[in-house]
Amino acid sequence: MTDDPLILRQISEGRDRTRAYLHIGKTGGTTFRAAAERVAAAEPFRVPLIFHHDWTVPRIRAAFPGIRISFVLRDPLERIVSGFMSRLRQGRPTYQSPWTVEEATAFLHFRDARAYLDAILSGGEYEMSAVDFATRSIAHIRRGYRFHIPNTATASKWLGSVGTLASLESFAQKLLGGPVELGHAHVNPVPARDILKHYGADELDRLRRHFADEYQVFNEMMQAAEP
């Protein structure tokens, strides 16, 4: 079990404690959670326990043995760019989440997502030191796929459903057991793809290689989810 008050509240409401939804940052979780709350108001038994950004698969499994864990994934590079821009705005307009001291320091060096990506492509010793600090400091980047899912080899023991941003509605319907109203999406004013289209194919390949560990988790989880 857990002493997390958000989880305990959901259990007290009668939500399904055999299933979990893990909210990985910048994967449509705010939209899904809003839909789940509307369903839970009338039929809480249809809704899995919802675990927020600081939870990981091992931590969930330790607290709730046998639980099946579902989540949404998106292209890792797009998620990282989206996460950078979201934290740069301190979560606005949906949230008001001030920077940590470390995030403030990172954003003094990288004033926008392109500056962060350009530093990766430069490969310079100074630039890469700053990139490493920012990667470890900016919450949505630090809490990436490997943070949440450190061991993909055990997926068959705990994996529920895996959705994508493109399939978010059908994912929500499956997880919530019927038609759902997704409502307003929490999105960046400038889509991550608009940032990434400034880069050529070779540059994008180099960026993907830099985040190879995130792509490994992404690819292995997508493969594990295939019927």
Side-chain angles (χ1 to χ4, degrees):
M1 273 293 287
T2 177
D3 58 1
D4 186 323
L6 295 177
I7 304 303
L8 293 176
R9 175 182 63 81
Q10 295 177 61
I11 292 172
S12 70
E13 292 172 353
R15 301 195 191 189
D16 184 356
R17 57 191 295 178
T18 70
R19 299 182 299 128
Y21 166 77
L22 174 58
H23 181 183
I24 299 172
K26 309 314 298 176
T27 60
T30 298
T31 301
F32 174 83
R33 282 167 44 206
E37 291 297 331
R38 288 190 289 271
V39 173
E43 299 177 289
F45 59 88
R46 287 174 50 189
V47 180
L49 298 181
I50 296 176
F51 293 85
H52 300 284
H53 297 325
D54 56 339
W55 283 84
T56 66
V57 166
R59 185 181 170 197
I60 295 171
R61 294 184 68 207
F64 298 90
I67 199 168
R68 286 284 165 174
I69 305 170
S70 301
F71 42 76
V72 174
L73 301 177
R74 68 188 291 190
D75 175 81
L77 190 53
E78 289 186 10
R79 195 200 71 81
I80 287 164
V81 171
S82 180
F84 183 104
M85 295 190 295
S86 176
R87 290 306 303 137
L88 183 62
R89 300 191 320 277
Q90 300 181 69
R92 299 184 183 100
T94 305
Y95 301 107
Q96 296 283 341
S97 181
W99 295 333
T100 63
V101 172
E102 292 80 9
E103 285 178 318
T105 304
F107 291 130
L108 277 174
H109 193 91
F110 298 118
R111 298 304 180 105
D112 55 40
R114 288 191 65 185
Y116 174 70
L117 298 176
D118 290 346
I120 295 172
L121 292 172
S122 78
E125 182 177 353
Y126 173 80
E127 289 82 0
M128 292 308 297
S129 178
V131 164
D132 181 63
F133 177 83
T135 301
R136 289 183 288 108
S137 301
I138 299 171
H140 279 318
I141 302 179
R142 173 173 54 83
R143 293 188 298 227
Y145 295 147
R146 184 63 74 183
F147 168 83
H148 290 290
I149 314 167
N151 183 6
T152 60
T154 62
S156 63
K157 299 179 181 179
W158 53 262
L159 186 61
S161 299
V162 177
T164 65
L165 286 185
S167 68
L168 185 59
E169 183 173 359
S170 60
F171 170 84
Q173 290 176 350
K174 180 177 182 180
L175 218 58
L176 300 175
V180 295
E181 177 66 42
L182 286 184
H184 173 70
H186 172 55
V187 297
N188 277 305
V190 179
R193 289 183 180 181
D194 285 358
I195 302 295
L196 292 172
K197 69 184 181 183
H198 290 280
Y199 297 92
D202 178 66
E203 292 172 318
L204 291 173
D205 284 343
R206 289 165 58 196
L207 290 169
R208 293 184 186 107
R209 287 197 297 272
H210 178 80
F211 295 108
D213 197 41
E214 289 292 279
Y215 275 94
Q216 181 180 1
V217 177
F218 172 79
N219 290 329
E220 290 178 356
M221 286 293 91
M222 294 303 295
Q223 290 171 7
E226 293 176 355

